[in-house]
């Protein structure tokens, strides 16, 4: 049974970009496809092109209504932060070029929506994604993150963007 709304979740990375396509009605969700885009062996400019092309192909193949992407909050290494930012740019451009509405979520918001705490470990995210989507096996970390981002957006549907952006109720301002 196809649920009425399709969401593409993306966890951008400079070497591995996780992606997930789910169908949802806001209460129930089902995985359609998920996996990882691996580009670590390519020169840097080629990586960005591959990320763009593969995300554009996913958008074309699965026709999502919306795309949810993880925000870059901070990074200890400025060079890594710039590269992840550039990878995010390739992802965002591919989605926008495909006519998809893009939403962004902080890592803390995603963990809070899926696990119940903004400080959850990767293994907790993997476990909850598996449980929430009734998956037969545990997804990889990047795949689980992308599924969690898509689920976060599914759970946020109908909530105004200014309230959605808060990582916790303590952060929310009317």
């Amino acid at each position: 049974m196809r649920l009425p709304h399709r969401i593409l979740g993306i966890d951008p990375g400079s070497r591995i970009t996780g992606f997930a396509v789910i169908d949802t009605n806001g209460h129930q969700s089902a995985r359609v496809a998920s996996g990882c885009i691996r580009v670590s062996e390519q020169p840097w400019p080629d990586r960005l092109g591959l990320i763009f092309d593969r995300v554009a192909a996913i958008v074309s193949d699965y026709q999502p209504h919306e795309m949810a992407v993880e925000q870059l909050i901070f990074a200890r290494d400025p060079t890594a932060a710039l590269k992840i930012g550039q990878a995010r740019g390739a992802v965002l451009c591919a989605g926008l070029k495909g006519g998809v509405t893009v939403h962004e979520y902080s890592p803390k918001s995603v963990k809070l929506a899926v696990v119940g705490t903004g400080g959850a470990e990767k293994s907790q995210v993997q476990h909850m994604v598996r449980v929430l989507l009734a998956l037969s096996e545990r997804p990889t970390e990047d795949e689980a993150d992308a599924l969690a981002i898509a689920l976060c957006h599914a759970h946020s549907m109908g909530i105004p963007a200014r309230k959605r952006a808060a990582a916790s109720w303590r952060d929310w301002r009317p």
Side-chain angles (χ1 to χ4, degrees):
M1 169 178 99
R2 174 148 190 245
L3 296 169
H5 200 76
R6 183 160 283 180
I7 299 169
L8 170 59
I10 301 280
D11 177 32
S14 60
R15 296 177 183 272
I16 301 171
T17 294
F19 73 89
V21 180
I22 66 168
D23 284 344
T24 186
N25 63 10
H27 301 287
Q28 295 176 299
S29 297
R31 176 176 68 173
V32 175
S34 59
C36 295
I37 300 167
R38 298 180 192 282
V39 295
S40 60
E41 300 301 317
Q42 306 296 323
W44 181 244
D46 294 344
R47 288 185 203 181
L48 295 176
L50 286 170
I51 292 168
F52 177 87
D53 289 343
R54 291 185 185 163
V55 172
I58 292 166
V59 169
S60 176
D61 291 347
Y62 293 100
Q63 299 289 305
H65 298 102
E66 297 179 283
M67 182 166 83
V69 181
E70 190 170 70
Q71 293 174 334
L72 175 63
I73 297 300
F74 74 93
R76 299 186 207 296
D77 178 6
T79 303
L82 286 171
K83 286 185 175 184
I84 292 171
Q86 290 171 346
R88 282 187 77 250
V91 166
L92 296 173
C93 288
L96 292 170
K97 187 172 185 215
V100 179
T101 304
V102 177
H103 303 272
E104 298 178 285
Y105 294 92
S106 71
K108 188 174 182 180
S109 295
V110 172
K111 292 174 183 177
L112 187 64
V114 174
V115 180
T117 177
E121 299 292 327
K122 292 270 191 188
S123 62
Q124 292 173 302
V125 173
Q126 288 174 295
H127 174 75
M128 285 308 298
V129 162
R130 183 178 180 189
V131 169
L132 291 170
L133 293 172
L135 303 177
S136 59
E137 49 189 52
R138 187 178 185 162
T140 66
E141 285 185 4
D142 296 294
E143 184 181 8
D145 287 348
L147 286 161
I149 293 160
L151 285 168
C152 175
H153 185 64
H155 296 162
S156 301
M157 288 170 42
I159 299 172
R162 66 186 173 87
K163 292 182 182 178
R164 251 194 321 216
S168 77
W169 285 109
R170 283 177 266 152
D171 299 336
W172 182 74
R173 300 288 180 261

